[in-house]
Amino acid sequence: MAAADYYEILDPRFSGLFNSSAHVDKLFTGCRWAEGTVYFPAGRYLLWSDIPNNRMLRYDETDGQVSVFREPSGNTNGHTVDRQGRLVSCEHSGRRVSRTEHDGTITTIADRWQGKRLNSPNDVVVKSDGSIWFSDPTYGIDSDYEGDKAESEIGKSQVYRVDPAGGGVEAVITDMIQPNGLAFSPDEKKLYVSDTGRSDSPVHMRVFDVGAGSALSNGRPFANCTAGVFDGFRLDDQGRIWTSAGDGIHCYDPDGTLIGKVKVPEVTANCVFGGIKRNCLYIAGTTSLYMVRLMVNGAKTF
């Protein structure tokens, strides 16, 4: 297959980011809704969520084997790795953010805000100061498909920060419809957040300036999605955003220009950089796990 079957160049800046001979490989299929890719470099393996099947899967990069990592999983969605190498997860049916300790026990990081249960935490990132930031839309309580149907106790969907010292949960973004994916820029001076709520306005991603502690300011549109919705995304070490969309992975320059696409034959939900050199982009499609080896390196997050 030709490079055009895998890549779409929309701006010359995209041309040097991929090797035209590098295919988009399907590594596994059989999920109902694949989400939440997270990579562990020490073990050279990837975990991801199969939300409706209430399980987490594990891909071993050394031999290509896939196994069940956890079942049931609390209908986990997004994951990340903290600075101590521990798994941090968003659970839909658990309605919490949890951490898997080194000994395998699971600790609740956040499950309430102002005494009310969270909706269904969706995506999560850990900042260098140890604070945990997560989005909390209603997808896990809207029906029994991705969690347990229930009414929202909070009555809105917000982005929260968990204080690294006292563990307090603070709402830091309160004006989104359905906040979803989120990630910091490599220098942590900006926070990007996608909004998958459908309304009269375009489905978009916003960017905020990050100050001390929980301070965010100057929230503004970054990009409108041109195919489907932005869901989960990650950044490379030059600050480019690689985000899921309806027709694959879209790549945005830090100036907000859509410069190219990695074409995937299914609607994508999430992606993460992995591999020894952080140049393998793992992609969660609707039913499958994909990988493409790029000419860029993912931003270091720990």
Side-chain angles (χ1 to χ4, degrees):
M1 298 176 71
D5 295 313
Y6 297 107
Y7 310 99
E8 183 176 348
I9 300 172
L10 301 174
D11 184 285
R13 288 172 287 183
F14 190 63
S15 301
L17 307 187
F18 64 91
N19 188 314
S20 60
S21 66
H23 296 177
V24 177
D25 297 319
K26 181 184 287 188
L27 304 177
F28 177 83
T29 193
C31 299
R32 291 187 183 277
W33 179 239
E35 257 278 18
T37 49
V38 59
Y39 183 77
F40 288 81
R44 294 191 61 190
Y45 65 87
L46 176 99
L47 301 179
W48 80 98
S49 299
D50 183 5
I51 305 175
N53 283 326
N54 197 15
R55 63 178 181 171
M56 293 169 60
L57 298 171
R58 180 185 187 273
Y59 171 77
D60 190 324
E61 194 176 63
T62 66
D63 60 11
Q65 295 298 306
V66 173
S67 58
V68 174
F69 176 78
R70 181 177 294 162
E71 186 178 18
S73 66
N75 298 101
T76 54
N77 189 331
H79 307 277
T80 194
V81 183
D82 71 8
R83 304 288 161 150
Q84 289 74 46
R86 298 170 296 187
L87 172 68
V88 180
S89 303
C90 292
E91 300 182 20
H92 278 188
S93 57
R95 298 176 71 168
R96 65 174 180 168
V97 177
S98 65
R99 183 177 64 226
T100 301
E101 309 296 345
H102 292 303
D103 64 2
T105 59
I106 299 176
T107 301
T108 297
I109 300 301
D111 62 356
R112 294 178 182 272
W113 175 69
Q114 295 185 349
K116 300 177 181 179
R117 293 189 72 188
L118 299 173
N119 297 323
S120 54
N122 191 285
D123 201 8
V124 59
V125 288
V126 178
K127 199 166 177 277
S128 61
D129 63 0
S131 59
I132 297 171
W133 303 60
F134 67 94
S135 59
D136 185 42
T138 60
Y139 297 122
I141 59 172
D142 286 341
S143 72
D144 290 321
Y145 188 71
E146 293 188 19
D148 297 323
K149 187 176 181 178
E151 294 294 322
S152 171
E153 295 185 12
I154 296 172
K156 60 194 314 188
S157 298
Q158 305 182 124
V159 174
Y160 298 92
R161 175 185 182 269
V162 182
D163 182 75
V169 180
E170 179 182 359
V172 292
I173 302 174
T174 61
D175 62 347
M176 284 186 155
I177 301 171
Q178 292 279 41
N180 200 312
L182 69 167
F184 288 100
S185 60
D187 60 8
E188 296 188 334
K189 292 182 179 180
K190 292 182 174 62
L191 175 68
Y192 298 88
V193 186
S194 63
D195 192 341
T196 46
R198 295 182 181 274
S199 67
D200 294 336
S201 61
V203 180
H204 64 283
M205 184 183 299
R206 292 169 66 185
V207 60
F208 299 81
D209 295 330
V210 180
S214 61
L216 297 177
S217 62
N218 193 26
R220 57 204 182 273
F222 175 74
N224 294 330
C225 192
T226 60
V229 300
F230 297 133
D231 196 331
F233 54 92
R234 289 296 179 257
L235 279 70
D236 65 28
D237 59 7
Q238 299 302 306
R240 289 175 291 252
I241 294 90
W242 299 76
T243 178
S244 59
D247 56 354
I249 298 296
H250 292 192
C251 180
Y252 282 85
D253 189 82
D255 68 7
T257 303
L258 175 60
I259 60 175
K261 301 179 181 181
V262 178
K263 298 180 182 179
V264 180
E266 299 184 77
V267 173
T268 64
N270 213 301
C271 61
V272 71
F273 285 95
I276 295 174
K277 299 180 180 179
R278 306 191 313 280
N279 63 341
C280 297
L281 187 67
Y282 288 98
I283 303 165
T286 303
T287 66
S288 308
L289 177 70
Y290 299 87
M291 188 274 285
V292 60
R293 199 176 299 271
L294 297 171
M295 303 287 282
V296 302
N297 307 92
K300 277 192 172 184
T301 56
F302 47 84

